[in-house]
Amino acid sequence: MAEGSKVGVGKELAKIRTAIVTLEGLLPGDQIELSLRGLRAKEAELLSATLVGDGAIAQAAPGGTANAAGKGGLIVRDVYGNVITNPVPEGNTPKPAALEEAYLRHLLGELSGVSLSGIDPAVPSGDPQERLQLEAVYTALLTQTPRSVKPEEREERRSQLSALEVLDRHKRLVLLGDPGSGKSTFASFVGLCLAGELLGLGEANGKVLTIPLPGEEGQQPWGHLSLLPVHIVLRDFAADGVLPAEGEPATANHLWSFIERGLVAANLGDYAPLLRKRLLETGGWVVLDGLDEVPEAERRRAQIREAVESFTHTYSRCRFLVTSRTYAYQNQGWRLAGFEEAVLAPFGSRQIDLFVERWYAHMASLGRLKAEDAAGRAAVLQRAIQASDRLQGLAQRPLLLTLMASLHAWRGGSLPERREELYADAVNLLLDLWERQRLRRDKNGQLKLVQPSLAEWLRTDRDAVRRVLEDLAFESHSAQPAGGEGADGGTADLSEERLVGALMRLARTDRADPVKLVEYLSQRSGLLMARGVGVYTLPHRTFQEYLAACHLTRDTFPVEVAGLARGDPNRWREVLLLAGAKAARGASSNVWSLAEHLCYSEPEEGAPIEDLWGAHLAGQAVVESANLESVAKPHQEKLARLRRWHERLIGEERLPPRERALAGETLAALGDPRFDPERWMLPRGLLLGFVEVPAGAFRMGSDPALKELFWEDESPEHTVDLKSFYIGRWPVTVGQFRVFVATTGYEGVSARALGEGSNRPIRWVSFGDALAYARWLGEELRKEASGKEERAGEGFWGGLASGWLRVTLPSEAEWEKAARGEDGRTYPWGGEFDANLGNSGETGIGGPSSVGCFLGGASPYGAEEMSGNVWEWTRSLWGPDWQEAEFKYPYVASDGREDFASPARRVLRGGAFDGGPGDVRCAVRFRLEPGVRHDFIGFRVVVSPFPL
């Protein structure tokens, strides 16, 4: 086809496409196809003219190669180097099978290769072959969704579903996670394997997709291998111009138009009607990546949500995966009707080790290292991560683990431990890669300057170039909604006009030519890389946040960053924490100054939400960047204020559960005043915190009519009469148990049980450990009560003074009454499940939370954490022996089930952080051998009115 003819066809095609989009947005659904039939026929004719013919070009994906086909042929080369040639008889359009294969090859190129130039500074600039093959290093992700596992199996079987398992279960799923948690990578990997399965590839297919999880046997479940994948980046959809005018409703047609335009741009326009037919009639697997990360999010949010929901209804045979940042999706108006939610869990130790092994093996396959050297380097990095709590925390996020592995290889094994320092090193290396000179060896082997460094070319200094990038990152971040992680990492686009203009203003020479500068920039990658014609981007959103933090620490720190974060914490949280850490490296007092500007008032009932977030973020910044072991006198009152604030924040229901749990972790690091010995008038850090459960009858067990919740061992529902007793307001905490260990020298628990935050429930404890603590506490309380006659009539102190009380574990009857009161309610707070009132798998915290985070979930007597958080030992036996025999209901205390000497299994109550709604009910009963220790088991104690 002649060049002039191609231009004419292109103009005609553009007119037709505009008409189609316009009509699709105006016509009712039952009139669209009839009215557009003629336009679509003309469109197909024009598209076939551009796709088929002598030397027709098939556009390849990044990293692939586009080839001119022979007469009447179609050629596509993907990133694997595979060439597909489909001869087409002259004058005919390609056959459907050839079009689908071309589409899948194109998708492979889009999804399979992750450029190392944004991650690994060892990559030669502009080398398209230096790409990370996703299937070579991909490590399966877990979610915080609980898996149904019996308590006795928890040591051998994981309690969380993998991301693939959750995706397999739900036709419509929103996958949530923090920045760099792997949401988009997971979506790309599934699409890659589905495309590879349909193409019959050996590198990526169904078997690769369902590979066993680290340390496990057996493939992961996935029953949808025949589905055709479709991958949509929602930020591109929002920016493409297909959405209607602001305020007008968006429909499935707008999203389909975006898909179709993408196919046309890839010279696959003929496949559009075939793809649409397949999605409507057979279904497919559709990814909608980065829901919360779209231009003009506040103005366009309703339209994006409308378009997505309409698309899922129209193409109802398809399965859908949507990705989003957690707090952006949950705290802003993004929630989609009819979608389930799952939150990604951080990498565990097995996943970290496996990723490091695969990373270094892949480096060897790329020729970076010898195989034996790669294995040795992997082992060194694994040991370094295992030996450092800080590095473990960084490595839990896949993005940071990738950077750690890259820097470890690049620097020969040395790594900074602080997150901000890690970013600083990475940014410096990537900036050097982007900005440095380009040299090439001539035919004589001599180095020849091909292109000077950017600073040299502009006759300025490198620091000035960096300041420009910091300013642009700040401006972009200010204009972009917080959250979201699109295909390129969720960064804002930098227009060529803004970038070139800012750099040209640095030039100290009249010879600087903006045209040549554009050429210079377009040929480079590193800290900035070209994303399209006239558009640049950073490798990942976290680099944008770090550079914005650098901008904010230059002149206006801490006033501006504190004001921004208080007003819009979702957008500025990461920026603020990085700014605080960077400023603290210059002077330790800087982070305390930041805290003062964030949190300058005392906590009061009904305080403005900005004050809550200010205190919350101030605590995080201080914990991350201040030396709390040595706080200078001028800052001690600031620390005390933060403690007072966080005592309130952990129970502040205006914050989501995950934020309250995070506030609890911060409070533990700051020093939880609830565990101050002087405050509680007890020696050695003991905490009373008991609530009274009065004497009387209550309804125990469950009605078999509750079939959706009922377990057989809870039946029948019956009445039990108990004497009054006191029960711990919370489960026994790590801090309390540490006092016991320090005082007695008890050696029954491991270091991991005592190494967590002091205000979390103690776990990894056996029945014997719990009983030993209770007996010791009883002795200590009697010591405290003796000689204090003035307390003889006050609450349970009078009983202690008389010697007629004991501290022990609750019976399961005492535990259940304390949890549900007298009316037989299902949960401590009432009859309906509420994820905001207890730490369960539905809450998304993913681990035990500090006590006091769920004030609204307290029982009628004021006992907290009785639904979820940790399973709790009771003193009651499940059965009289080691066999399956059990003590049946109704509960009778005198039938032998309260025998302390028996080695048989004991009953546990309450559910845990990974349980579903049915697992955290007041009536649920589990049992375990008394000697086992697990990460989901804790206990609380009672003061019972029985003689010793």
Side-chain angles (χ1 to χ4, degrees):
M1 182 182 293
E3 191 64 33
S5 300
K6 290 181 179 179
V7 172
V9 169
K11 290 182 178 179
E12 185 67 20
L13 183 60
K15 292 179 181 178
I16 291 176
R17 289 296 302 120
T18 301
I20 290 175
V21 171
T22 302
L23 289 174
E24 284 181 330
L26 296 175
L27 293 176
D30 57 352
Q31 298 179 20
I32 288 176
E33 290 304 323
L34 182 62
S35 301
L36 297 184
R37 188 176 298 168
L39 286 172
R40 290 198 185 281
K42 181 61 176 176
E43 178 193 29
E45 179 182 345
L46 292 172
L47 285 172
S48 66
T50 64
L51 183 65
V52 180
D54 299 346
I57 299 296
Q59 180 174 321
T65 305
N67 298 80
K71 187 173 182 179
L74 170 67
I75 294 180
V76 174
R77 185 187 300 274
D78 64 25
V79 294
Y80 295 106
N82 300 313
V83 177
I84 171 173
T85 303
N86 297 295
V88 180
E90 189 169 352
N92 294 336
T93 59
K95 294 180 180 179
L99 286 169
E100 182 166 300
E101 186 169 355
Y103 165 75
L104 291 171
R105 296 281 181 185
H106 171 75
L107 193 62
L108 278 177
E110 292 286 334
L111 301 179
S112 64
V114 179
S115 176
L116 283 168
S117 64
I119 299 170
D120 188 351
V123 173
S125 178
D127 187 347
Q129 299 304 315
E130 288 285 358
R131 293 167 62 84
L132 192 83
Q133 290 306 129
L134 185 55
E135 69 277 11
V137 297
Y138 177 79
T139 303
L141 300 169
L142 295 178
T143 70
Q144 295 176 6
T145 304
R147 183 187 192 191
S148 296
V149 179
K150 296 179 181 179
E152 58 267 28
E153 298 175 338
R154 300 247 173 140
E155 186 71 14
E156 294 77 27
R157 302 181 66 195
R158 60 187 159 82
S159 58
Q160 297 166 303
L161 292 174
S162 72
L164 189 63
E165 286 175 307
V166 176
L167 190 63
D168 183 59
R169 292 186 178 194
H170 300 298
K171 188 175 181 180
R172 298 176 181 178
L173 178 70
V174 179
L175 187 63
L176 305 171
D178 293 330
S181 60
K183 304 179 299 295
S184 295
T185 301
F186 170 74
S188 296
F189 181 70
V190 176
L192 168 69
C193 290
L194 292 180
E197 178 73 18
L198 293 172
L199 288 169
L201 298 183
E203 304 91 344
N205 51 42
K207 187 175 182 180
V208 174
L209 174 63
T210 60
I211 192 170
L213 289 161
E216 296 189 11
E217 296 180 357
Q219 300 290 113
Q220 297 181 73
W222 180 255
H224 317 286
L225 284 177
S226 63
L227 291 181
L228 186 76
V230 177
H231 199 97
I232 301 165
V233 179
L234 286 173
R235 62 175 293 186
D236 293 341
F237 165 58
D240 194 64
V242 297
L243 283 171
E246 186 178 347
E248 296 181 9
T251 69
N253 292 323
H254 295 100
L255 193 48
W256 172 254
S257 295
F258 170 72
I259 296 172
E260 199 167 15
R261 288 169 68 160
L263 292 173
V264 171
N267 286 331
L268 292 168
D270 274 0
Y271 186 59
L274 299 176
L275 175 61
R276 189 176 194 180
K277 178 180 175 65
R278 177 157 178 172
L279 295 181
L280 285 169
E281 296 180 355
T282 308
W285 186 74
V286 181
V287 172
L288 299 158
D289 195 20
L291 176 67
D292 58 326
E293 191 250 323
V294 296
E296 301 179 312
E298 293 298 325
R299 298 168 51 201
R300 293 292 195 175
R301 178 181 300 148
Q303 288 183 321
I304 297 295
R305 191 173 60 240
E306 288 169 352
V308 170
E309 290 177 347
S310 174
F311 195 84
T312 59
H313 293 149
T314 300
Y315 298 89
S316 59
R317 295 182 182 274
C318 293
R319 300 180 70 88
F320 291 90
L321 172 65
V322 177
T323 70
S324 173
R325 278 193 184 183
T326 306
Y327 55 77
Y329 185 79
Q330 293 180 343
N331 294 354
Q332 301 176 26
W334 283 115
R335 275 197 160 95
L336 298 169
F339 277 76
E340 300 293 331
E341 298 174 21
V343 180
L344 284 175
F347 262 1
S349 58
R350 288 179 174 177
Q351 292 165 297
I352 292 170
D353 285 347
L354 181 60
F355 176 87
V356 171
E357 289 175 9
R358 289 180 172 174
W359 168 271
Y360 268 106
H362 193 49
M363 292 302 101
S365 72
L366 293 175
R368 301 276 194 85
L369 294 168
K370 294 180 180 179
E372 58 271 21
D373 292 339
R377 287 280 185 90
V380 169
L381 180 55
Q382 288 169 341
R383 287 194 297 269
I385 293 173
Q386 292 166 2
S388 169
D389 290 339
R390 289 178 177 176
L391 289 183
Q392 287 180 34
L394 293 174
Q396 289 175 351
R397 186 175 294 187
L399 169 69
L400 294 184
L401 179 57
T402 304
L403 285 172
M404 287 167 63
S406 174
L407 285 170
H408 187 262
W410 176 253
R411 296 173 43 153
S414 121
L415 279 178
E417 291 190 359
R418 288 185 178 271
R419 184 170 60 126
E420 183 271 334
E421 293 178 40
L422 180 63
Y423 282 132
D425 280 0
V427 165
N428 284 336
L429 289 169
L430 294 176
L431 178 60
D432 177 68
L433 174 67
W434 179 70
E435 190 272 345
R436 69 187 177 194
Q437 294 178 338
R438 284 195 171 180
L439 302 173
R440 185 174 301 161
R441 293 189 184 275
D442 61 21
K443 62 182 179 179
N444 298 318
Q446 300 299 312
L447 286 175
K448 179 181 179 181
L449 179 65
V450 176
Q451 198 174 60
S453 72
L454 181 59
E456 291 171 338
W457 190 79
L458 293 171
R459 299 288 178 87
T460 187
D461 61 86
R462 176 174 162 165
D463 288 342
V465 173
R466 174 167 176 149
R467 285 193 295 271
V468 164
L469 297 180
E470 291 171 355
D471 295 343
L472 291 175
F474 171 74
E475 293 171 12
S476 299
H477 196 75
S478 300
Q480 184 187 22
E485 184 179 16
D488 61 356
T491 58
D493 289 338
L494 297 175
S495 72
E496 189 172 79
E497 181 180 3
R498 288 174 60 206
L499 178 60
V500 170
L503 290 173
M504 287 297 296
R505 285 191 289 274
L506 291 179
R508 298 175 182 172
T509 173
D510 296 335
R511 297 179 181 179
D513 182 349
V515 176
K516 289 188 177 295
L517 179 58
V518 169
E519 180 182 352
Y520 181 103
L521 296 173
S522 65
Q523 295 173 357
R524 289 176 170 263
S525 62
L527 190 56
L528 272 183
M529 42 194 175
R531 185 175 179 270
V533 178
V535 178
Y536 298 85
T537 189
L538 293 158
H540 195 272
R541 183 184 180 87
T542 44
F543 290 112
Q544 174 179 301
E545 290 166 332
Y546 175 74
L547 289 171
C550 293
H551 167 90
L552 288 166
T553 55
R554 290 210 310 258
D555 302 316
T556 62
F557 184 86
V559 176
E560 185 175 9
V561 70
L564 290 169
R566 281 172 55 89
D568 192 353
N570 286 335
R571 183 183 315 195
W572 293 104
R573 183 202 311 249
E574 290 291 317
V575 174
L576 176 129
L577 295 177
L578 292 169
K582 183 176 186 298
R585 279 210 282 166
S588 59
S589 61
N590 284 338
V591 72
W592 289 107
S593 178
L594 174 61
E596 179 72 15
H597 282 80
L598 285 165
C599 179
Y600 44 77
S601 62
E602 288 294 325
E604 296 179 356
E605 192 70 33
I609 192 68
E610 292 83 2
D611 287 355
L612 268 63
W613 279 107
H616 188 29
L617 296 176
Q620 289 180 251
V622 165
V623 167
E624 183 166 322
S625 303
N627 180 6
L628 294 174
E629 295 181 0
S630 178
V631 178
K633 190 172 182 179
H635 307 314
Q636 290 177 359
E637 175 52 34
K638 300 170 188 175
L639 175 60
R641 184 191 304 150
L642 287 176
R643 287 171 176 158
R644 292 189 291 272
W645 260 108
H646 279 74
E647 242 191 307
R648 178 179 293 274
L649 290 177
I650 60 174
E652 175 56 69
E653 293 191 353
R654 283 183 287 173
L655 295 180
R658 282 166 53 89
E659 299 295 343
R660 301 201 301 268
L662 180 56
E665 294 178 23
T666 300
L667 181 59
L670 296 173
D672 194 334
R674 296 175 298 171
F675 295 87
D676 183 346
E678 295 183 3
R679 180 172 178 177
W680 292 97
M681 299 178 295
L682 286 172
R684 293 180 293 280
L686 300 174
L687 169 64
L688 292 181
F690 286 95
V691 297
E692 183 178 8
V693 180
F698 81 104
R699 288 163 55 193
M700 185 174 184
S702 294
D703 184 343
L706 300 174
K707 293 181 180 179
E708 71 281 6
L709 298 175
F710 170 69
W711 291 12
E712 188 175 349
D713 55 48
E714 303 168 19
S715 177
E717 187 179 41
H718 57 287
T719 299
V720 176
D721 199 356
L722 296 176
K723 296 180 180 181
S724 65
F725 61 93
Y726 290 84
I727 192 167
R729 178 181 177 186
W730 302 305
V732 172
T733 64
V734 172
Q736 291 172 292
F737 205 87
R738 283 178 191 156
V739 177
F740 161 57
V741 171
T743 302
T744 66
Y746 188 79
E747 297 180 350
V749 296
S750 64
R752 63 183 171 184
L754 302 174
E756 297 188 304
S758 61
N759 55 17
R760 283 187 176 187
I762 185 72
R763 47 189 187 147
W764 300 104
V765 287
S766 68
F767 175 77
D769 299 332
L771 200 58
Y773 174 89
R775 287 170 175 164
W776 167 79
L777 180 61
E779 294 173 1
E780 294 296 314
L781 293 181
R782 283 190 293 277
K783 290 178 186 177
E784 178 69 9
S786 63
K788 298 189 177 180
E789 299 300 330
E790 70 275 10
R791 294 184 178 177
E794 297 179 12
F796 68 86
W797 282 103
L800 278 172
S802 69
W804 278 85
L805 296 176
R806 67 175 177 176
V807 179
T808 186
L809 300 179
S811 70
E812 64 169 323
E814 289 171 337
W815 193 100
E816 187 169 331
K817 182 178 181 181
R820 73 193 310 189
E822 299 176 357
D823 57 8
R825 61 184 60 189
T826 304
Y827 300 98
W829 54 82
E832 299 296 328
F833 176 77
D834 188 337
N836 195 46
L837 300 180
N839 183 7
S840 68
E842 304 297 316
T843 307
I845 294 174
S849 53
S850 305
V851 296
C853 288
F854 295 91
L855 296 176
S859 79
Y861 306 113
E864 299 175 34
E865 320 292 335
M866 300 197 83
S867 178
N869 218 358
V870 290
W871 284 98
E872 300 178 16
W873 287 111
T874 73
R875 67 175 186 263
S876 300
L877 290 166
W878 176 262
D881 50 43
W882 288 91
Q883 307 302 317
E884 286 299 317
E886 61 183 283
F887 288 109
K888 301 289 186 180
Y889 273 9
Y891 172 90
V892 179
S894 61
D895 64 0
R897 68 180 74 205
E898 303 300 336
D899 180 6
F900 276 97
S902 172
R905 290 174 294 179
R906 300 283 169 172
V907 175
L908 296 94
R909 290 302 200 105
F913 56 84
D914 56 358
D919 299 326
V920 297
R921 295 175 295 113
C922 297
V924 167
R925 309 170 70 217
F926 274 151
R927 74 277 190 189
L928 282 175
E929 283 72 22
V932 301
R933 296 182 175 97
H934 288 311
D935 67 342
F936 56 87
I937 298 177
F939 69 98
R940 74 179 72 211
V941 296
V942 296
V943 182
S944 300
F946 300 111
L948 292 169

